[in-house]
Amino acid sequence: MSGGGQVLSLDTLVRLRRGFAPRAEPSKLAVPEGMTAPLGFDAVAVPARLGPLILPRLPQVGCVYADDAYWWWIVPADSDYALEWPSPTRYVTGAVVPDAVRLIHRSEGAVPYTPPIPLYLALCRLTGTTPSWARQVSA
């Protein structure tokens, strides 16, 4: 073979192609049209199996998004301040979530928020976690 070119195997070509494949990048949730989020917003990711159990426990429900694994509850920004959200939930600053989420519940008001304290307490109850402010502090 003249010209000194490199021969690539089929395996190498396949790996190169996969390396260039577009990946589903997470993005910030968009609030539904006509709504505003004057306090900014974050999201609380709750395993999908717990989502239906939380709904009836809340006095008010904001916008909730879902994918196959999680329900994503919109809360005001910084709702994690001085709170330790119980496992297996995740607090997501900036509401950066996978692109595959869909809106499953829309707030009845003009803002997308679920009040964070009732949500936190419902999650603590369902997960058997003592709220952070009720835990004993050791010296």
Side-chain angles (χ1 to χ4, degrees):
M1 197 178 197
S2 64
Q6 183 179 2
V7 176
L8 300 175
S9 71
L10 183 56
D11 287 337
T12 302
L13 291 172
V14 168
R15 273 185 272 141
L16 285 172
R17 171 122 171 92
R18 286 183 183 153
F20 290 107
R23 296 195 176 151
E25 292 293 323
S27 60
K28 183 174 175 115
L29 280 177
V31 297
E33 192 172 322
M35 292 188 147
T36 61
L39 303 175
F41 62 97
D42 294 335
V44 177
V46 176
R49 64 182 163 74
L50 295 177
L53 302 174
I54 294 169
L55 279 174
R57 297 174 183 258
L58 297 174
Q60 180 182 346
V61 178
C63 291
V64 182
Y65 296 78
D67 61 21
D68 292 337
Y70 292 97
W71 282 25
W72 306 83
W73 303 76
I74 300 299
V75 294
D78 301 323
S79 291
D80 61 335
Y81 182 76
L83 284 181
E84 209 176 292
W85 288 83
S87 181
T89 63
R90 293 183 305 151
Y91 189 87
V92 183
T93 303
V96 176
V97 301
D99 280 336
V101 299
R102 64 198 179 286
L103 182 67
I104 60 169
H105 185 274
R106 183 184 166 115
S107 174
E108 292 181 15
V111 294
Y113 307 126
T114 293
I117 298 302
L119 177 60
Y120 175 79
L121 291 173
L123 287 167
C124 285
R125 181 96 182 208
L126 285 172
T127 61
T129 303
T130 302
S132 57
W133 58 77
R135 294 184 197 138
Q136 287 185 335
V137 178
S138 59

